[in-house]
Amino acid sequence: ALGWWVFGRERNAAPAFAAAPPAESYANVLRMRETWLLALGFAGPLSLYLVFNTWLPTFYHQTRGMTLAQGSQLTGLANLVGIPAAVIGGVLTKHLAARKPFIWGSAIVLSVSGFGLYLMRDPAWITTSAVVFGISLFLWVAPLTTLAMELPGMTPVRFGMVMGVFFGVSYIVAFFAPLITGALRDATGSFQPGFFLFTISCWSLVVAGILLPETGRRT
């Protein structure tokens, strides 16, 4: 926001007498198949992300002999490497035609590396899993949102409403993921059933990535 305030410039402003955009309603947005594919596709990876951020440090402390600080550093590493991964995803989206392979491909790698975070015991392999997890967690974000903007009939108003449903539904679903994992831990004595459940949930993004239409340039 500060960058836009200092450096941003309005260009090609619409004249005051420009026609108003067509009216949109959430009823129309909720009837779109793509809205639900986007929302539920995002809900799986987001659920796993919240589960790991909530419980992985405790899991490492109890089962891998790490301090809580060391466990937190590993989960933070995934977030750190995700920053350049998100930028790279935006650059690739700009220069390459395809959107879908980055979505479902990243989701598959995300699930595999997620298993590595709690099944591996060697610290080097856990660290490698954290790096791969962080990259695959953020690499698909730009392709997915770009695909949503490029859907047939999409307008700025409709896109804003689709994103509202997208974030609303996915965060409501993901809110319960750490609670369910904690309840499974209390019932079974292990975090792994919850980790397994939500690692598998990442495949919601694989399904969404396959079923969504390709909107990139055809060559």
Side-chain angles (χ1 to χ4, degrees):
L2 286 173
W4 175 252
W5 179 63
V6 175
F7 302 108
R9 297 290 183 272
E10 293 286 352
R11 296 183 176 88
N12 301 322
F17 55 82
E24 292 281 3
S25 71
Y26 271 106
N28 293 333
V29 170
L30 293 174
R31 283 195 291 266
M32 292 173 56
R33 172 174 172 266
E34 293 84 1
T35 300
W36 294 102
L37 287 174
L38 291 165
L40 297 177
F42 181 51
L46 179 62
S47 296
L48 182 62
Y49 172 76
L50 294 182
V51 165
F52 279 170
N53 273 271
T54 303
W55 294 119
L56 262 185
T58 303
F59 172 78
Y60 288 147
H61 178 63
Q62 294 178 352
T63 66
R64 301 293 186 262
M66 298 182 189
T67 66
L68 290 175
Q70 289 172 330
S72 297
Q73 287 172 358
L74 280 172
T75 55
L77 177 63
N79 292 312
L80 182 64
V81 300
I83 296 171
V87 176
I88 291 170
V91 173
L92 293 175
T93 301
K94 178 180 179 182
H95 292 287
L96 300 178
R99 313 284 185 242
K100 293 175 57 171
F102 289 104
I103 298 170
W104 58 259
S106 296
I108 293 173
V109 176
L110 181 67
S111 181
V112 172
S113 59
F115 281 117
L117 278 172
Y118 61 90
L119 294 180
M120 296 293 183
R121 291 185 173 273
D122 186 280
W125 281 109
I126 295 174
T127 302
T128 301
S129 296
V131 171
V132 175
F133 181 84
I135 292 172
S136 56
L137 180 66
F138 289 91
L139 187 63
W140 55 269
V141 174
L144 185 72
T145 52
T146 302
L147 185 150
M149 288 188 284
E150 295 172 340
L151 288 170
M154 188 63 69
T155 65
V157 174
R158 177 175 293 185
F159 177 72
M161 298 171 79
V162 167
M163 287 294 100
V165 176
F166 172 89
F167 285 112
V169 170
S170 57
Y171 271 94
I172 289 172
V173 172
F175 168 81
F176 293 98
L179 303 179
I180 293 171
T181 302
L184 288 172
R185 164 67 175 80
D186 292 340
T188 66
S190 173
F191 283 112
Q192 292 204 18
F195 289 170
F196 177 83
L197 173 64
F198 290 105
T199 304
I200 293 297
S201 76
C202 288
W203 283 75
S204 68
L205 186 61
V206 178
V207 174
I210 293 172
L211 295 180
L212 284 165
E214 179 60 79
T215 62
R217 299 183 305 275
R218 271 68 171 182
T219 56

